[in-house]
Amino acid sequence: ANIQGVFGEKTEAAAKEFQNTLTQRGLTQENALKASAAVGNLAGAAGFEPEDIQQAMSNVIVKMHNGANATTAFQAAMDNARIKGISLATSIQQVTIAAEGSLKSLRQFGITTNKDVNGNLKTEAQLLKEIKENTKGGLETYMKTPLGMIDRMKVALEELK
């Protein structure tokens, strides 16, 4: 996948950084490229501003403990942002705090406990999986609305400048 074609020139550096960090955090080079391209393509197509994508990618990389968790968190944050009508940056913050096990933050995603059936604390990956499941479809639904279409057009026009 061509990162520049997916992200546009403005966020190419962030995409490359995201890919490199995913590799450093345990993903193979091939999977890191696929993940960064998929996330960037989806974010751009969803009408998020390139600068917002860049900032969100940087934030999620810093807060998550491996590449797979960073990718899952970013995807859940995009859905969450569109469901709640909040910025991608705010959504990243909500998702990463919840993934760290904060009960107050988890409740925002309909999750009432940070422990499994045996009473052990759930892992970051387990919590992210639940968060992603509970926010699933928000982005896709938003993209079909008139506002979602307008956002995508604005970003596309901005990339042409």
Side-chain angles (χ1 to χ4, degrees), residues 5 10 29 86 117 124:
K10 292 183 179 181
Q29 186 71 29
I86 59 177
V117 293
E124 186 175 89

Side-chain angles (χ1 to χ4, degrees), residues 7-120:
F7 287 88
E9 281 185 38
K10 292 183 179 181
T11 53
E12 180 181 2
K16 193 71 175 157
E17 179 186 333
F18 189 55
Q19 177 187 342
N20 290 339
T21 305
L22 292 176
T23 304
Q24 292 167 3
R25 299 215 174 185
L27 262 65
T28 65
Q29 186 71 29
E30 180 184 358
N31 285 339
L33 178 60
K34 285 179 186 174
S36 64
V39 165
N41 192 24
L42 187 55
F48 290 110
E49 294 288 335
E51 293 80 10
D52 295 342
I53 297 168
Q54 182 177 2
Q55 185 62 47
M57 282 192 287
S58 297
N59 289 344
V60 79
I61 287 167
V62 168
K63 295 181 183 206
M64 295 293 93
H65 296 100
N66 64 49
N69 287 357
T71 302
T72 302
F74 193 88
Q75 291 169 331
M78 287 190 298
D79 278 325
N80 184 52
R82 292 311 191 202
I83 288 169
K84 295 180 179 174
I86 59 177
S87 72
L88 188 54
T90 299
S91 185
I92 288 285
Q93 188 176 19
Q94 289 179 353
V95 169
T96 56
I97 290 171
E100 292 169 349
S102 163
L103 279 175
K104 182 178 177 184
S105 295
L106 285 167
R107 286 188 191 106
Q108 296 176 50
F109 298 99
I111 301 167
T112 56
T113 182
N114 59 3
K115 296 184 179 176
D116 64 17
V117 293
N118 298 321
N120 301 315

